[in-house]
Amino acid sequence: MQLTLFDPNPSSNRPDSLGPADVLYADASAILHRPAGRLSAVDFSLNPYQGCTFACTYCYAAFFVPDDDQREQWGRWVRVKTNAVEKLRNSRVDLRGKSVLMSSATDPYQPIEQRLELTRSLLPILARRGANLTVQTRSPIAARDIDLFQEFERIRVNLSITTDSEEVRRKFEPQCASIERRLEAVAKIADAGIRTGIGVSPLLPLDDPAAFARKIIETGVSSVRINTFHETRGPFSAGTRQPALKLARELGWTPAKRKRTEAELRYHLNRGSKRFAA
């Protein structure tokens, strides 16, 4: 059941924690933003939440949090943008034919979404206004909204699946869903006729690149994107966070091994399907 985000006295409907993470609530000054840098090709980004409770050790989004304490506590809090639906509904921005990325600095289907359905509430507005939507997530919750995805003229749903090893997944992505659940979700979305992609980003150690490639191909996705760690020199530069780099060193996940594994995975993807020829 969807909670009432917009009740003037909604405190009884809003959880203040979810597992070990704090859930915060605040209005946003805007809901649509024009991205810069590597996302400058996108017309607008839309982040229903700030922060993310998936607690991925490598997540670059933590670098954009201005508060030092919250940056250090990344993964243990999420802020809900309580006026997001109102802001989008009242926005005068013409979205017809414009590209919208949801999301660039949070996960729109992190666990709190199962309770609040904030992302689900935004989808019909975007569809009615003709947005070309790209959904970026690592959560199988996204399969819940297939009915709303089908209302878009143009939409792509990308799921991140970074490894074929549950042991590795638990080290780097302790709060994320299992690899199998994510593969099942993306296959379900693809089977519904929705354009889908898998992001192996960042590429983590693999047990069997050939078998992983077969599983990716079997989902029916139309694209695969592979990226490796982005190591930065400055403490305020956006890139792979230190906890992930430390884990990588402990596992012997060197730049040379990453490069070899990426080449092997691309080889098996290209060999197995012309869709992924690079």
Side-chain angles (χ1 to χ4, degrees), residues 18 52-54 109-116 139 141 175:
L18 195 65
C52 182
T53 59
F54 278 143
Y109 287 102
Q110 60 183 290
I112 192 64
E113 171 62 19
Q114 189 76 55
R115 296 279 303 274
L116 299 184
S139 172
I141 297 172
Q175 305 301 326

Side-chain angles (χ1 to χ4, degrees), residues 11-269:
S11 58
S12 62
N13 292 331
R14 296 177 175 178
D16 57 11
S17 64
L18 195 65
D22 293 330
V23 182
L24 313 172
Y25 299 88
D27 284 351
S29 58
I31 193 62
L32 292 169
H33 299 274
R34 292 190 179 274
R38 65 185 183 87
L39 296 178
S40 58
V42 176
D43 292 316
F44 298 99
S45 64
L46 193 163
N47 293 283
Y49 304 100
Q50 182 187 25
C52 182
T53 59
F54 278 143
C56 298
T57 57
Y58 47 75
C59 184
Y60 68 88
F63 287 94
F64 301 117
V65 179
D67 184 274
D68 290 342
D69 290 337
Q70 288 190 329
R71 190 161 55 243
E72 289 298 319
Q73 296 296 315
W74 184 261
R76 301 177 190 174
W77 62 274
V78 58
R79 178 176 288 111
V80 181
K81 297 182 179 180
T82 49
N83 63 341
V85 171
E86 178 187 5
K87 280 287 185 182
L88 184 61
R89 185 183 291 130
N90 294 336
S91 171
R92 296 183 179 181
V93 175
D94 182 7
L95 293 179
R96 186 154 300 279
K98 300 294 177 59
S99 57
V100 177
L101 173 61
M102 188 165 69
S103 298
S104 61
T106 189
D107 194 307
Y109 287 102
Q110 60 183 290
I112 192 64
E113 171 62 19
Q114 189 76 55
R115 296 279 303 274
L116 299 184
E117 298 191 1
L118 176 55
T119 295
R120 183 170 175 84
S121 298
L122 294 166
L123 290 173
I125 305 172
L126 291 167
R128 285 195 302 270
R129 297 182 62 180
N132 296 337
L133 183 64
T134 297
V135 175
Q136 184 64 51
T137 182
R138 61 188 61 248
S139 172
I141 297 172
R144 176 201 66 188
D145 290 345
I146 286 173
D147 60 327
L148 298 183
F149 296 156
Q150 291 173 326
E151 295 182 5
F152 286 81
E153 291 184 17
R154 293 191 63 183
I155 186 171
R156 174 182 290 279
V157 179
N158 297 323
L159 260 78
S160 295
I161 307 175
T162 55
T163 179
D164 63 349
S165 165
E166 277 298 309
E167 181 180 356
V168 171
R169 194 273 303 168
R170 284 189 290 269
K171 288 180 183 294
F172 286 89
E173 306 171 351
Q175 305 301 326
C176 290
S178 70
I179 298 160
E180 193 61 33
R181 285 183 61 204
R182 283 186 262 181
L183 287 167
E184 290 173 356
V186 74
K188 184 176 180 180
I189 297 168
D191 190 58
I194 296 160
R195 288 194 308 157
T196 52
I198 285 177
V200 188
S201 178
L203 173 66
L204 299 178
L206 301 180
D207 286 340
D208 188 338
F212 188 40
R214 286 195 298 272
K215 288 182 178 181
I216 289 173
I217 292 168
E218 288 169 1
T219 64
V221 296
S222 59
S223 67
V224 178
R225 186 184 75 254
I226 306 171
N227 290 317
T228 57
F229 287 163
H230 175 57
E231 300 186 36
T232 58
R233 296 180 181 177
F236 302 106
S237 301
T240 304
R241 295 168 62 221
Q242 287 303 314
L245 296 176
K246 181 175 183 293
L247 277 171
R249 288 192 294 270
E250 292 172 354
L251 295 174
W253 189 229
T254 63
K257 284 187 178 180
R258 298 199 294 262
K259 187 175 181 180
R260 287 197 299 270
T261 303
E262 179 182 1
E264 188 175 358
L265 180 57
R266 288 187 186 277
Y267 169 79
H268 290 295
L269 286 169

